[in-house]
Structures are given as structure tokens and as C-alpha cells.
mmCIF file of all heavy atoms in Angstrom:
data_model
loop_
_atom_site.group_PDB
_atom_site.id
_atom_site.type_symbol
_atom_site.label_atom_id
_atom_site.label_comp_id
_atom_site.label_asym_id
_atom_site.label_seq_id
_atom_site.Cartn_x
_atom_site.Cartn_y
_atom_site.Cartn_z
ATOM 1 N N SER A 28 0.823 -1.225 0.000
ATOM 2 C CA SER A 28 0.000 0.000 0.000
ATOM 3 C C SER A 28 0.852 1.269 0.000
ATOM 4 O O SER A 28 0.625 2.206 0.770
ATOM 5 C CB SER A 28 -0.945 0.009 1.208
ATOM 6 O OG SER A 28 -1.769 -1.134 1.221
ATOM 7 N N THR A 29 1.845 1.270 -0.867
ATOM 8 C CA THR A 29 2.649 2.473 -1.059
ATOM 9 C C THR A 29 2.701 2.793 -2.550
ATOM 10 O O THR A 29 2.151 2.056 -3.364
ATOM 11 C CB THR A 29 4.086 2.296 -0.532
ATOM 12 O OG1 THR A 29 4.716 1.247 -1.269
ATOM 13 C CG2 THR A 29 4.098 1.970 0.953
ATOM 14 N N THR A 30 3.381 3.883 -2.872
ATOM 15 C CA THR A 30 3.495 4.305 -4.266
ATOM 16 C C THR A 30 4.951 4.251 -4.702
ATOM 17 O O THR A 30 5.838 4.702 -3.983
ATOM 18 C CB THR A 30 2.963 5.737 -4.438
ATOM 19 O OG1 THR A 30 1.596 5.772 -4.003
ATOM 20 C CG2 THR A 30 3.032 6.163 -5.899
ATOM 21 N N VAL A 31 5.180 3.711 -5.889
ATOM 22 C CA VAL A 31 6.530 3.642 -6.429
ATOM 23 C C VAL A 31 7.056 5.046 -6.709
ATOM 24 O O VAL A 31 6.363 5.876 -7.307
ATOM 25 C CB VAL A 31 6.558 2.813 -7.732
ATOM 26 C CG1 VAL A 31 7.959 2.809 -8.334
ATOM 27 C CG2 VAL A 31 6.101 1.392 -7.469
ATOM 28 N N LEU A 32 8.286 5.324 -6.260
ATOM 29 C CA LEU A 32 8.944 6.586 -6.578
ATOM 30 C C LEU A 32 9.550 6.472 -7.972
ATOM 31 O O LEU A 32 10.366 5.594 -8.231
ATOM 32 C CB LEU A 32 10.031 6.882 -5.546
ATOM 33 C CG LEU A 32 9.552 7.014 -4.091
ATOM 34 C CD1 LEU A 32 10.753 7.142 -3.155
ATOM 35 C CD2 LEU A 32 8.641 8.216 -3.949
ATOM 36 N N GLN A 33 9.158 7.360 -8.888
ATOM 37 C CA GLN A 33 9.540 7.209 -10.283
ATOM 38 C C GLN A 33 11.051 7.203 -10.515
ATOM 39 O O GLN A 33 11.561 6.331 -11.239
ATOM 40 C CB GLN A 33 8.890 8.300 -11.136
ATOM 41 C CG GLN A 33 8.986 8.045 -12.632
ATOM 42 C CD GLN A 33 8.304 6.741 -13.048
ATOM 43 O OE1 GLN A 33 7.205 6.429 -12.594
ATOM 44 N NE2 GLN A 33 8.962 5.954 -13.891
ATOM 45 N N PRO A 34 11.821 8.126 -9.915
ATOM 46 C CA PRO A 34 13.283 8.070 -10.151
ATOM 47 C C PRO A 34 13.893 6.757 -9.662
ATOM 48 O O PRO A 34 14.746 6.176 -10.336
ATOM 49 C CB PRO A 34 13.811 9.262 -9.347
ATOM 50 C CG PRO A 34 12.647 10.178 -9.210
ATOM 51 C CD PRO A 34 11.451 9.290 -9.104
ATOM 52 N N GLU A 35 13.440 6.294 -8.491
ATOM 53 C CA GLU A 35 13.950 5.029 -7.953
ATOM 54 C C GLU A 35 13.507 3.853 -8.807
ATOM 55 O O GLU A 35 14.267 2.900 -8.996
ATOM 56 C CB GLU A 35 13.483 4.844 -6.506
ATOM 57 C CG GLU A 35 14.211 5.690 -5.478
ATOM 58 C CD GLU A 35 13.750 7.138 -5.472
ATOM 59 O OE1 GLU A 35 12.825 7.484 -6.238
ATOM 60 O OE2 GLU A 35 14.337 7.936 -4.718
ATOM 61 N N ARG A 36 12.284 3.932 -9.328
ATOM 62 C CA ARG A 36 11.788 2.870 -10.204
ATOM 63 C C ARG A 36 12.661 2.761 -11.452
ATOM 64 O O ARG A 36 13.068 1.666 -11.849
ATOM 65 C CB ARG A 36 10.334 3.168 -10.599
ATOM 66 C CG ARG A 36 9.721 2.187 -11.596
ATOM 67 C CD ARG A 36 8.407 2.739 -12.143
ATOM 68 N NE ARG A 36 7.815 1.840 -13.109
ATOM 69 C CZ ARG A 36 6.859 0.964 -12.838
ATOM 70 N NH1 ARG A 36 6.387 0.866 -11.606
ATOM 71 N NH2 ARG A 36 6.363 0.186 -13.776
ATOM 72 N N ASP A 37 12.952 3.901 -12.072
ATOM 73 C CA ASP A 37 13.779 3.902 -13.276
ATOM 74 C C ASP A 37 15.161 3.337 -12.990
ATOM 75 O O ASP A 37 15.704 2.541 -13.772
ATOM 76 C CB ASP A 37 13.897 5.325 -13.830
ATOM 77 C CG ASP A 37 12.556 5.864 -14.341
ATOM 78 O OD1 ASP A 37 11.640 5.046 -14.573
ATOM 79 O OD2 ASP A 37 12.429 7.095 -14.478
ATOM 80 N N SER A 38 15.735 3.737 -11.852
ATOM 81 C CA SER A 38 17.060 3.249 -11.478
ATOM 82 C C SER A 38 17.035 1.750 -11.195
ATOM 83 O O SER A 38 17.957 1.027 -11.576
ATOM 84 C CB SER A 38 17.556 4.006 -10.243
ATOM 85 O OG SER A 38 18.778 3.478 -9.785
ATOM 86 N N PHE A 39 15.976 1.296 -10.548
ATOM 87 C CA PHE A 39 15.841 -0.123 -10.220
ATOM 88 C C PHE A 39 15.822 -0.969 -11.485
ATOM 89 O O PHE A 39 16.487 -2.005 -11.578
ATOM 90 C CB PHE A 39 14.549 -0.333 -9.424
ATOM 91 C CG PHE A 39 14.313 -1.747 -8.950
ATOM 92 C CD1 PHE A 39 15.090 -2.301 -7.942
ATOM 93 C CD2 PHE A 39 13.300 -2.510 -9.505
ATOM 94 C CE1 PHE A 39 14.868 -3.597 -7.499
ATOM 95 C CE2 PHE A 39 13.070 -3.807 -9.072
ATOM 96 C CZ PHE A 39 13.861 -4.352 -8.066
ATOM 97 N N PHE A 40 15.096 -0.504 -12.497
ATOM 98 C CA PHE A 40 14.970 -1.259 -13.744
ATOM 99 C C PHE A 40 16.220 -1.156 -14.616
ATOM 100 O O PHE A 40 16.664 -2.150 -15.202
ATOM 101 C CB PHE A 40 13.758 -0.774 -14.541
ATOM 102 C CG PHE A 40 12.439 -1.150 -13.927
ATOM 103 C CD1 PHE A 40 11.314 -0.382 -14.179
ATOM 104 C CD2 PHE A 40 12.308 -2.257 -13.112
ATOM 105 C CE1 PHE A 40 10.081 -0.727 -13.626
ATOM 106 C CE2 PHE A 40 11.095 -2.613 -12.547
ATOM 107 C CZ PHE A 40 9.981 -1.837 -12.809
ATOM 108 N N THR A 41 16.789 0.040 -14.713
ATOM 109 C CA THR A 41 17.841 0.262 -15.704
ATOM 110 C C THR A 41 19.260 0.070 -15.164
ATOM 111 O O THR A 41 20.171 -0.254 -15.924
ATOM 112 C CB THR A 41 17.730 1.690 -16.283
ATOM 113 O OG1 THR A 41 17.892 2.644 -15.216
ATOM 114 C CG2 THR A 41 16.385 1.900 -16.960
ATOM 115 N N GLU A 42 19.446 0.275 -13.857
ATOM 116 C CA GLU A 42 20.788 0.216 -13.296
ATOM 117 C C GLU A 42 20.997 -0.970 -12.357
ATOM 118 O O GLU A 42 22.076 -1.568 -12.347
ATOM 119 C CB GLU A 42 21.101 1.516 -12.536
ATOM 120 C CG GLU A 42 21.084 2.761 -13.422
ATOM 121 C CD GLU A 42 21.291 4.037 -12.618
ATOM 122 O OE1 GLU A 42 21.816 3.941 -11.478
ATOM 123 O OE2 GLU A 42 20.910 5.121 -13.103
ATOM 124 N N PHE A 43 19.960 -1.312 -11.572
ATOM 125 C CA PHE A 43 20.144 -2.368 -10.566
ATOM 126 C C PHE A 43 19.929 -3.756 -11.149
ATOM 127 O O PHE A 43 20.754 -4.655 -10.971
ATOM 128 C CB PHE A 43 19.193 -2.136 -9.392
ATOM 129 C CG PHE A 43 19.364 -3.145 -8.291
ATOM 130 C CD1 PHE A 43 20.437 -3.068 -7.415
ATOM 131 C CD2 PHE A 43 18.455 -4.176 -8.136
ATOM 132 C CE1 PHE A 43 20.600 -4.004 -6.405
ATOM 133 C CE2 PHE A 43 18.609 -5.118 -7.130
ATOM 134 C CZ PHE A 43 19.682 -5.032 -6.253
ATOM 135 N N LEU A 44 18.817 -3.949 -11.840
ATOM 136 C CA LEU A 44 18.508 -5.277 -12.371
ATOM 137 C C LEU A 44 19.322 -5.551 -13.628
ATOM 138 O O LEU A 44 19.241 -4.809 -14.598
ATOM 139 C CB LEU A 44 17.010 -5.384 -12.697
ATOM 140 C CG LEU A 44 16.040 -5.316 -11.525
ATOM 141 C CD1 LEU A 44 14.610 -5.424 -12.030
ATOM 142 C CD2 LEU A 44 16.324 -6.424 -10.509
ATOM 143 N N ASP A 45 20.114 -6.602 -13.597
ATOM 144 C CA ASP A 45 20.819 -7.029 -14.803
ATOM 145 C C ASP A 45 21.152 -8.508 -14.679
ATOM 146 O O ASP A 45 20.900 -9.144 -13.657
ATOM 147 C CB ASP A 45 22.067 -6.183 -15.077
ATOM 148 C CG ASP A 45 23.106 -6.272 -13.960
ATOM 149 O OD1 ASP A 45 23.385 -7.393 -13.495
ATOM 150 O OD2 ASP A 45 23.651 -5.228 -13.563
ATOM 151 N N ALA A 46 21.746 -9.049 -15.720
ATOM 152 C CA ALA A 46 21.990 -10.492 -15.786
ATOM 153 C C ALA A 46 22.926 -10.988 -14.693
ATOM 154 O O ALA A 46 22.892 -12.168 -14.326
ATOM 155 C CB ALA A 46 22.551 -10.861 -17.159
ATOM 156 N N SER A 47 23.756 -10.089 -14.119
ATOM 157 C CA SER A 47 24.701 -10.525 -13.090
ATOM 158 C C SER A 47 24.013 -10.976 -11.815
ATOM 159 O O SER A 47 24.605 -11.646 -10.974
ATOM 160 C CB SER A 47 25.679 -9.393 -12.757
ATOM 161 O OG SER A 47 25.027 -8.333 -12.084
ATOM 162 N N LEU A 48 22.730 -10.604 -11.664
ATOM 163 C CA LEU A 48 21.997 -10.980 -10.468
ATOM 164 C C LEU A 48 21.465 -12.406 -10.537
ATOM 165 O O LEU A 48 20.968 -12.935 -9.549
ATOM 166 C CB LEU A 48 20.821 -10.017 -10.242
ATOM 167 C CG LEU A 48 21.199 -8.573 -9.919
ATOM 168 C CD1 LEU A 48 19.962 -7.686 -9.939
ATOM 169 C CD2 LEU A 48 21.883 -8.488 -8.564
ATOM 170 N N ARG A 49 21.547 -13.012 -11.701
ATOM 171 C CA ARG A 49 21.006 -14.371 -11.847
ATOM 172 C C ARG A 49 21.895 -15.159 -12.789
ATOM 173 O O ARG A 49 21.894 -14.968 -13.992
ATOM 174 C CB ARG A 49 19.562 -14.308 -12.381
ATOM 175 C CG ARG A 49 18.895 -15.662 -12.466
ATOM 176 C CD ARG A 49 17.425 -15.546 -12.849
ATOM 177 N NE ARG A 49 17.227 -14.866 -14.109
ATOM 178 C CZ ARG A 49 16.098 -14.913 -14.816
ATOM 179 N NH1 ARG A 49 15.068 -15.601 -14.356
ATOM 180 N NH2 ARG A 49 15.995 -14.269 -15.956
ATOM 181 N N HIS A 50 22.672 -16.088 -12.222
ATOM 182 C CA HIS A 50 23.650 -16.839 -13.012
ATOM 183 C C HIS A 50 23.066 -18.110 -13.616
ATOM 184 O O HIS A 50 23.657 -18.687 -14.529
ATOM 185 C CB HIS A 50 24.860 -17.188 -12.139
ATOM 186 C CG HIS A 50 25.576 -15.980 -11.608
ATOM 187 N ND1 HIS A 50 26.332 -15.154 -12.403
ATOM 188 C CD2 HIS A 50 25.616 -15.448 -10.360
ATOM 189 C CE1 HIS A 50 26.837 -14.169 -11.668
ATOM 190 N NE2 HIS A 50 26.417 -14.321 -10.434
ATOM 191 N N SER A 51 21.944 -18.553 -13.091
ATOM 192 C CA SER A 51 21.368 -19.797 -13.597
ATOM 193 C C SER A 51 19.853 -19.791 -13.412
ATOM 194 O O SER A 51 19.336 -19.213 -12.456
ATOM 195 C CB SER A 51 21.976 -21.006 -12.872
ATOM 196 O OG SER A 51 21.787 -20.886 -11.477
ATOM 197 N N VAL A 52 19.177 -20.428 -14.361
ATOM 198 C CA VAL A 52 17.728 -20.587 -14.300
ATOM 199 C C VAL A 52 17.420 -22.056 -14.557
ATOM 200 O O VAL A 52 17.913 -22.632 -15.531
ATOM 201 C CB VAL A 52 17.004 -19.717 -15.355
ATOM 202 C CG1 VAL A 52 15.498 -19.872 -15.222
ATOM 203 C CG2 VAL A 52 17.415 -18.256 -15.225
ATOM 204 N N TYR A 53 16.636 -22.655 -13.679
ATOM 205 C CA TYR A 53 16.299 -24.070 -13.820
ATOM 206 C C TYR A 53 14.785 -24.243 -13.814
ATOM 207 O O TYR A 53 14.051 -23.462 -13.209
ATOM 208 C CB TYR A 53 16.905 -24.895 -12.682
ATOM 209 C CG TYR A 53 18.409 -24.947 -12.701
ATOM 210 C CD1 TYR A 53 19.162 -24.113 -11.872
ATOM 211 C CD2 TYR A 53 19.082 -25.817 -13.554
ATOM 212 C CE1 TYR A 53 20.549 -24.157 -11.885
ATOM 213 C CE2 TYR A 53 20.472 -25.868 -13.579
ATOM 214 C CZ TYR A 53 21.198 -25.033 -12.744
ATOM 215 O OH TYR A 53 22.567 -25.070 -12.766
ATOM 216 N N THR A 54 14.328 -25.262 -14.497
ATOM 217 C CA THR A 54 12.907 -25.567 -14.579
ATOM 218 C C THR A 54 12.542 -26.626 -13.546
ATOM 219 O O THR A 54 13.413 -27.298 -12.965
ATOM 220 C CB THR A 54 12.546 -26.092 -15.977
ATOM 221 O OG1 THR A 54 13.240 -27.342 -16.178
ATOM 222 C CG2 THR A 54 12.954 -25.099 -17.063
ATOM 223 N N GLU A 55 11.256 -26.805 -13.362
ATOM 224 C CA GLU A 55 10.795 -27.866 -12.467
ATOM 225 C C GLU A 55 11.176 -29.237 -13.020
ATOM 226 O O GLU A 55 11.501 -30.158 -12.260
ATOM 227 C CB GLU A 55 9.278 -27.776 -12.277
ATOM 228 C CG GLU A 55 8.736 -28.771 -11.269
ATOM 229 C CD GLU A 55 7.252 -28.603 -11.012
ATOM 230 O OE1 GLU A 55 6.786 -27.443 -10.864
ATOM 231 O OE2 GLU A 55 6.538 -29.624 -10.953
ATOM 232 N N LYS A 56 11.176 -29.363 -14.342
ATOM 233 C CA LYS A 56 11.578 -30.632 -14.961
ATOM 234 C C LYS A 56 13.022 -30.962 -14.619
ATOM 235 O O LYS A 56 13.349 -32.127 -14.317
ATOM 236 C CB LYS A 56 11.392 -30.554 -16.483
ATOM 237 C CG LYS A 56 11.740 -31.840 -17.221
ATOM 238 C CD LYS A 56 11.487 -31.698 -18.723
ATOM 239 C CE LYS A 56 11.859 -32.986 -19.453
ATOM 240 N NZ LYS A 56 11.634 -32.851 -20.925
ATOM 241 N N GLU A 57 13.904 -29.966 -14.668
ATOM 242 C CA GLU A 57 15.305 -30.201 -14.324
ATOM 243 C C GLU A 57 15.460 -30.537 -12.841
ATOM 244 O O GLU A 57 16.306 -31.354 -12.465
ATOM 245 C CB GLU A 57 16.140 -28.966 -14.676
ATOM 246 C CG GLU A 57 16.301 -28.756 -16.175
ATOM 247 C CD GLU A 57 16.950 -27.430 -16.489
ATOM 248 O OE1 GLU A 57 16.394 -26.377 -16.096
ATOM 249 O OE2 GLU A 57 18.019 -27.442 -17.136
ATOM 250 N N LEU A 58 14.632 -29.925 -12.006
ATOM 251 C CA LEU A 58 14.648 -30.249 -10.582
ATOM 252 C C LEU A 58 14.259 -31.708 -10.366
ATOM 253 O O LEU A 58 14.908 -32.448 -9.612
ATOM 254 C CB LEU A 58 13.688 -29.326 -9.826
ATOM 255 C CG LEU A 58 13.499 -29.605 -8.334
ATOM 256 C CD1 LEU A 58 14.799 -29.372 -7.568
ATOM 257 C CD2 LEU A 58 12.379 -28.722 -7.767
ATOM 258 N N ARG A 59 13.211 -32.148 -11.046
ATOM 259 C CA ARG A 59 12.737 -33.528 -10.901
ATOM 260 C C ARG A 59 13.775 -34.545 -11.381
ATOM 261 O O ARG A 59 13.748 -35.704 -10.954
ATOM 262 C CB ARG A 59 11.448 -33.717 -11.709
ATOM 263 C CG ARG A 59 10.228 -33.004 -11.138
ATOM 264 C CD ARG A 59 9.007 -33.224 -12.010
ATOM 265 N NE ARG A 59 7.830 -32.524 -11.517
ATOM 266 C CZ ARG A 59 7.006 -33.019 -10.591
ATOM 267 N NH1 ARG A 59 7.233 -34.231 -10.094
ATOM 268 N NH2 ARG A 59 5.960 -32.323 -10.189
#
């Protein structure tokens, strides 16, 4: 129940989130 701050939102998407935060992706099939 809050509001996204637009400058922080832009920074979160464009500067913080990138491929370095996730080195691997696995499916449920691979888990099984």
C-alpha cells in the first residue's frame, strides 16, 4: 500500500537489475 517513486523505479529497472543478479535458471523438470 505504497506508491513507487519514479526516479527510484527507473534506477531499479535500468541500473540495478541485470543479468549478473542471476547466473542460472532451472525448470521444475530439471529439478525432478
Side-chain angles (χ1 to χ4, degrees):
S28 303
T29 62
T30 302
V31 177
L32 300 173
Q33 193 60 44
E35 284 77 3
R36 176 192 179 98
D37 294 342
S38 175
F39 183 71
F40 289 154
T41 61
E42 298 176 20
F43 183 76
L44 294 179
D45 62 45
S47 69
L48 294 171
R49 184 174 58 163
H50 299 289
S51 57
V52 182
Y53 294 99
T54 64
E55 185 176 316
K56 182 178 179 181
E57 289 172 301
L58 175 65
R59 289 179 182 275

